[in-house]
Amino acid sequence: GGGADREALQSALDSGLPVEGKVSALNKGGFEVMLGRTRAFCPMSQIDLYRPEDGTSFVGKMLTFRVTELREGKDPVLSRAALLRAEREQKAGEMRAQVQPGARLSGHVRSIQSFGVFVDLGGIDGLVHVSELSWSRVDDPKSVVKLGQEVDVVVLEVDHAKDRIALSMRQAEGDPFADAAVTIQVGAVVTGNVARLTNFGAFVTLAPHVDGLIH
């Protein structure tokens, strides 16, 4: 509404009820948020579940926050991440029932590492190993996916004891070798581009994600 007075904010802090505010500016430590006519502050680390690469994308948006600190003479401190975490925990229980080997799911890229990509399936994370990102050889996972990108995956393995979920993006695309086996026959003359050289021969790309070896 028009005014978010201290009494209303104290009530929101005590009860945990969310408040709505407009992100008005980005500063060194976080975001300036207007709760009606009251100025509040949301730290950079609390605007989302993961620290954003570009904070300017939040400026001008109406978002929901939880009041986490209210001190006399200071701007109220807010957290959007606290609400998102609570929502994520609720969804996680529902999602665990769906995460079974062979299941095809969609999620968002949460983190990109040299060994693979962590995908948020909606409250729980799974790992796509670098070898499962594509049917083609991948040297840098960042060349295949971007943070926040929505991807389709197939569940390979679920280890509840270690809380690990192995995923595959390439299996969600289908097997390119199955199609290639129909069109590429022994004795056929084919044309391709040399993809890479090794000390034992040359790999030649004959179709998307399908290489042949000239020993």
Side-chain angles (χ1 to χ4, degrees), residues 81-117:
L83 292 177
L84 295 177
R85 280 193 291 269
E87 182 181 348
R88 177 175 175 170
E89 289 173 4
Q90 180 179 355
K91 290 181 178 178
E94 302 169 359
M95 179 55 63
R96 285 190 178 92
Q98 302 178 38
V99 180
Q100 302 293 335
R104 184 188 178 102
L105 306 169
S106 62
H108 292 84
V109 176
R110 180 183 70 78
S111 174
I112 302 176
Q113 306 296 328
S114 60
F115 54 84
V117 173

Side-chain angles (χ1 to χ4, degrees), residues 6-188:
R6 304 292 288 192
E7 184 179 349
L9 291 174
Q10 185 65 53
S11 176
L13 174 64
D14 296 339
S15 64
L17 288 174
V19 295
E20 189 176 58
K22 184 174 183 178
V23 181
S24 58
L26 172 67
N27 55 42
K28 185 177 181 181
F31 300 86
E32 182 179 296
V33 181
M34 297 305 298
L35 306 174
R37 293 185 295 270
T38 300
R39 185 177 65 183
F41 173 71
C42 178
M44 181 71 72
S45 62
Q46 296 300 309
I47 195 67
D48 207 343
L49 286 172
Y50 315 106
R51 190 179 181 88
E53 289 191 338
D54 181 17
T56 58
S57 62
F58 291 94
V59 177
K61 290 186 176 181
M62 287 293 295
L63 300 173
T64 306
F65 301 87
R66 179 173 290 170
V67 181
T68 58
E69 189 176 317
L70 191 61
R71 293 190 296 172
E72 194 65 35
K74 301 287 186 179
D75 290 342
V77 179
L78 310 175
S79 171
R80 177 169 173 260
L83 292 177
L84 295 177
R85 280 193 291 269
E87 182 181 348
R88 177 175 175 170
E89 289 173 4
Q90 180 179 355
K91 290 181 178 178
E94 302 169 359
M95 179 55 63
R96 285 190 178 92
Q98 302 178 38
V99 180
Q100 302 293 335
R104 184 188 178 102
L105 306 169
S106 62
H108 292 84
V109 176
R110 180 183 70 78
S111 174
I112 302 176
Q113 306 296 328
S114 60
F115 54 84
V117 173
F118 287 97
V119 176
D120 183 352
L121 299 174
I124 54 177
D125 287 350
L127 173 65
V128 182
H129 191 269
V130 65
S131 62
E132 292 293 334
L133 286 171
S134 172
W135 291 100
S136 298
R137 178 187 176 93
V138 176
D139 294 318
D140 181 7
K142 291 182 179 179
S143 66
V144 180
V145 295
K146 296 180 180 179
L147 282 176
Q149 178 181 335
E150 184 174 356
V151 294
D152 293 326
V153 295
V154 170
V155 180
L156 298 180
E157 183 182 357
V158 180
D159 188 335
H160 293 291
K162 297 182 179 179
D163 198 22
R164 292 178 183 174
I165 301 171
L167 307 172
S168 174
M169 283 174 51
R170 70 175 188 171
Q171 290 197 24
E173 299 174 357
D175 189 350
F177 293 95
D179 295 331
V182 176
T183 57
I184 302 174
Q185 299 293 326
V186 175

Side-chain angles (χ1 to χ4, degrees), residues 183-196:
T183 57
I184 302 174
Q185 299 293 326
V186 175
V189 177
V190 295
T191 302
N193 295 318
V194 176
R196 64 186 186 278

